[in-house]
């Protein structure tokens, strides 16, 4: 099965597709059918060296352009992405298995939003003038970091590439991006579009590979910053490796986020939020609210309504626009999820619906809902990264805040209530970076995205991202004589 939108080589370096079959074969499997739709190759040390040299070579001239000139390229890339949204969405579906119904509105579009947003900001990335006593003054210069490395997770390959490239390039940096080995196709198209938009060859490069390639990029002395989207264990390794050479880092890591539903919540909105926060992208979303705390006297009504609405899920060919629930990204991830479902049952949680593998080619499982989950259960403590919702009961506000915060993670949190004072009070008490009130999993590029505690360091999107892709030089200007003690 081949698709017209597929890239024609493994890597994209110096403004062109590059193939190097000396690298280990990297099969690309379409999760919906299990078919191999492409064979790429992992980057060899020579490929990694070539990509870093290309980035190093392009960065100085790019940084010498004005922010407005850089921004023009990014905004043009956004326009091209939007014009090709269908093809990019088909490719995202092929790469990940996510339904076209989702990829057509949440992946390339989100990437284009980031390019447009940071393209608009680029011209305003100035320093400042500071008036000081005695006629002295100071000024600051916002400088690029140099060569940035982006390491992507497999669930949103187009979006993640753009969420890292857009602020990095807006600030005058160059980038070498390594997508997840599980979903290698989409970033190659982003690189091609940036060239078409006028980016200089070598400014944004894509190389394939797994942990070893990521580690080689992280530790290379030509790299000034590493931005990772991935699991907490990987984050710890990458953060430590980057620290050895005092590199800048952004860590967008995992979570086990709480979604709190009070008994005065709008029932359908709360159920809708729980569906978005557990079953969108077949549950493969880092910020998912997978611990759904429901106030005890609403719990039965919540589960009943949830079951009614789950019956409306259309599980089918992800390329069919009617499909609303697709396969897992890989056989490996499916097995991880099946193991957690077995564990949940073993530990006494009540599987009220779903959790069954479908007897068809590909990585299919039905959305799972566990009730009577307790905080000590494995499925309530560990990130599953699949369509498994845990429903936990609670009595009162203080109790649920304490339980929601009793985790090493702190990526996201959601609260559903009609009492807005309580909503803001509880959100304020929850230890999370990206929160939602009477909503879940909205991620506009104007708003910072990221976690606290073990869920990461730094923020993506919004003006906050500029601080993670640039640094300030301060210049003190003395207008009078220098007075020294001798
Ligand atoms: N906070 C966020 O924005 C997001 C976080 N995630 C998290 O990512 C995880 C799922 O994605 P995966 O791709 O399985 O994550 P992963 O941690 O296995 O891999 C992430 C990336 O790091 C690379 N990598 C692995 N070991 C490395 C090493 N030692 N040095 C350098 N790079 C290395 C991988 O090749 C991949 O490109 C989940 O934990 C999920 O929560 C996923 C999406 C968004």
């Amino acid at each position: 099965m081949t698709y017209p939108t597929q890239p024609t080589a493994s890597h994209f370096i110096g403004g062109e597709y590059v193939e190097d079959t000396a690298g280990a074969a990297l099969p690309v499997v379409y999760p919906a059918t299990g078919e191999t739709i492409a064979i790429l190759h992992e980057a060899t040390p020579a490929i990694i060296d070539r990509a870093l040299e290309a980035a190093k070579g392009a960065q100085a001239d790019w940084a010498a352009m004005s922010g407005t000139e850089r921004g023009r390229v990014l905004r043009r890339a956004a326009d091209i992405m939007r014009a090709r949204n269908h093809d990019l969405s088909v490719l995202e579906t092929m790469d990940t298995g996510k339904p076209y119904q989702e990829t057509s509105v949440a992946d390339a579009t989100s990437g284009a939003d980031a390019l447009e947003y940071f393209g608009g900001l680029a011209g305003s990335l100035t320093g400042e003038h500071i008036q000081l006593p005695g006629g002295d003054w100071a000024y600051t210069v916002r400088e690029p970091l140099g060569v940035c490395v982006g390491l992507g997770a497999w669930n949103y390959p187009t979006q993640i590439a753009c969420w890292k490239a857009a602020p990095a390039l807006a600030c005058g940096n160059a980038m070498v991006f390594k997508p997840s080995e599980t979903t290698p196709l989409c970033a190659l198209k982003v690189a091609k579009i940036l060239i078409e938009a006028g980016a200089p060859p070598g400014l944004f490069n894509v190389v394939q590979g797994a942990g070893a390639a990521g580690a080689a990029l992280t530790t290379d002395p030509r790299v000034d910053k590493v931005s990772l989207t991935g699991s907490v264990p990987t984050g710890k390794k990458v953060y430590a490796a980057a620290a050895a050479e005092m590199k800048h880092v952004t860590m967008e890591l995992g979570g086990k986020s709480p979604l709190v539903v009070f008994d005065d919540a709008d029932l359908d909105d709360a159920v809708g939020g729980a569906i978005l926060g557990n079953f969108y992208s077949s549950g493969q979303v880092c910020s998912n609210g997978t611990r759904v705390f429901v106030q005890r006297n609403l719990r039965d009504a919540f589960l009943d309504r949830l079951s009614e609405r789950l019956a409306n899920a259309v599980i089918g060919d992800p390329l069919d626009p009617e499909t609303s629930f697709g396969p897992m990204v890989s056989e490996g991830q499916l097995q991880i999820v099946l193991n957690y479902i077995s564990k949940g049952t073993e530990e006494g949680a009540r599987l009220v619906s779903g959790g069954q593998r479908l007897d068809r080619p590909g990585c299919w499982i039905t959305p799972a809902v566990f009730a009577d989950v307790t905080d000590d259960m494995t499925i309530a403590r560990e990130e599953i990264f699949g369509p498994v919702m845990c429903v936990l009961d609670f009595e009162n506000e203080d109790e649920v805040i304490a339980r929601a915060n009793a985790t090493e993670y702190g990526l996201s949190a959601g609260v559903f209530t009609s009492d807005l004072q309580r909503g803001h009070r509880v959100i304020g008490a929850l230890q999370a970076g990206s929160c939602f009130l009477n909503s879940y999993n909205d991620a506009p590029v104007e708003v910072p995205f990221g976690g606290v505690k073990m869920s990461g360091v730094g923020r993506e999107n919004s003006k906050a991202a500029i601080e993670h892709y640039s640094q300030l030089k301060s210049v003190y200007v003395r207008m009078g004589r220098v007075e020294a003690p001798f």
Side-chain angles (χ1 to χ4, degrees):
M1 179 188 291
T2 56
Y3 283 78
T5 54
Q6 275 197 48
T8 56
S10 299
H11 317 288
F12 195 93
I13 301 173
E16 59 186 15
Y17 284 117
V18 172
E19 188 51 275
D20 175 2
T21 54
L26 187 62
V28 185
V29 175
Y30 180 36
T33 62
E35 287 177 277
T36 297
I37 56 174
I39 300 277
L40 301 187
H41 293 272
E42 295 194 17
T44 58
I47 285 288
I48 287 176
D49 178 64
R50 187 170 160 185
L52 288 169
E53 281 303 304
K56 196 102 182 124
Q59 191 267 329
D61 289 348
W62 175 251
M65 289 165 65
S66 73
T68 303
E69 290 171 319
R70 294 197 293 268
R72 198 170 295 138
V73 171
L74 300 183
R75 292 198 311 276
R76 208 178 291 135
D79 293 342
I80 297 171
M81 285 191 74
R82 290 196 174 109
R84 297 184 191 161
N85 187 55
H86 170 73
D87 281 357
L88 292 169
S89 302
V90 168
L91 189 63
E92 176 95 9
T93 292
M94 300 305 303
D95 224 356
T96 63
K98 293 190 298 186
Y100 178 82
Q101 190 182 95
E102 282 188 25
T103 58
S104 56
V105 297
D107 293 277
T109 51
S110 174
D113 289 350
L115 290 164
E116 177 186 51
Y117 175 82
F118 287 104
L121 272 187
S124 66
L125 302 181
T126 58
E128 60 178 338
H129 165 271
I130 304 157
Q131 188 60 49
L132 298 168
D136 289 357
W137 57 286
Y139 63 93
T140 61
V141 182
R142 186 169 292 279
E143 299 179 330
L145 301 178
V147 172
C148 301
V149 158
L151 303 171
W154 43 253
N155 59 340
Y156 279 79
T158 306
Q159 180 200 77
I160 292 172
C162 293
W163 281 19
K164 296 183 189 305
L169 272 51
C171 292
N173 303 292
M175 179 168 271
V176 176
F177 182 79
K178 188 200 74 64
S180 167
E181 57 276 24
T182 308
T183 53
L185 299 178
C186 297
L188 291 164
K189 284 295 184 180
V190 173
K192 181 78 168 61
I193 286 170
L194 279 165
I195 290 292
E196 290 179 47
L203 187 71
F204 182 76
N205 307 277
V206 174
V207 299
Q208 306 296 353
L217 288 166
T218 300
T219 54
D220 192 288
R222 289 167 285 189
V223 173
D224 302 292
K225 173 191 169 87
V226 182
S227 176
L228 165 74
T229 297
S231 62
V232 171
T234 301
K236 290 178 178 177
K237 292 179 203 166
V238 173
Y239 204 167
E245 305 198 341
M246 210 52 71
K247 297 175 197 264
H248 296 256
V249 294
T250 296
M251 292 283 132
E252 287 287 352
L253 306 179
K256 190 71 182 183
S257 301
L259 195 170
V260 179
V261 180
F262 285 95
D263 59 11
D264 65 345
D266 178 288
L267 183 59
D268 256 314
D269 280 354
V271 169
I275 289 170
L276 284 172
N278 282 273
F279 302 131
Y280 201 71
S281 303
S282 302
Q284 300 162 125
V285 181
C286 54
S287 50
N288 270 357
T290 50
R291 292 183 294 148
V292 181
F293 291 90
V294 183
Q295 202 153 24
R296 189 148 289 126
N297 53 6
L298 184 71
R299 197 277 306 267
D300 291 344
F302 180 89
L303 289 173
D304 291 346
R305 188 65 185 122
L306 177 62
S307 293
E308 286 167 10
R309 289 187 57 174
L310 280 181
N312 300 329
V314 178
I315 303 178
D317 174 3
L319 289 170
D320 178 343
E322 294 305 309
T323 296
S324 56
F325 188 84
M328 302 291 309
V329 73
S330 68
E331 182 64 28
Q333 191 60 27
L334 174 56
Q335 288 305 324
I336 290 170
V337 173
L338 289 170
N339 291 338
Y340 273 113
I341 290 171
S342 303
K343 191 79 173 171
T345 308
E346 279 165 30
E347 293 182 350
R350 179 163 55 94
L351 184 60
V352 295
S353 65
Q356 282 78 39
R357 178 169 195 162
L358 292 180
D359 181 17
R360 64 173 70 166
C363 316
W364 298 89
I365 184 173
T366 53
V369 177
F370 277 106
D372 305 338
V373 180
T374 55
D375 299 333
D376 59 314
M377 290 179 179
T378 302
I379 58 171
R381 291 197 328 277
E382 296 180 12
E383 179 182 58
I384 298 173
F385 220 64
V388 181
M389 181 192 300
C390 294
V391 177
L392 306 95
D393 309 347
F394 75 92
E395 284 296 343
N396 61 60
E397 181 177 319
D398 291 343
E399 170 209 343
V400 74
I401 288 171
R403 291 172 58 194
N405 284 335
T407 171
E408 65 173 5
Y409 295 109
L411 185 49
S412 294
V415 173
F416 279 87
T417 177
S418 58
D419 175 346
L420 290 193
Q421 283 179 331
R422 172 162 68 183
H424 289 292
R425 185 173 62 240
V426 174
I427 280 281
L430 293 177
Q431 297 161 0
S434 299
C435 302
F436 311 95
L437 183 50
N438 290 329
S439 188
Y440 209 85
N441 265 354
D442 315 85
V445 292
E446 297 90 338
V447 178
F449 183 82
V452 299
K453 297 163 67 175
M454 295 304 276
S455 290
V457 169
R459 291 293 179 267
E460 292 199 316
N461 295 342
S462 83
K463 293 190 288 291
I466 298 302
E467 295 305 325
H468 301 296
Y469 284 100
S470 62
Q471 55 199 350
L472 286 179
K473 172 179 285 177
S474 301
V475 181
Y476 185 101
V477 181
R478 178 172 295 279
M479 300 301 280
R481 306 287 299 170
V482 173
E483 292 172 14
F486 54 80

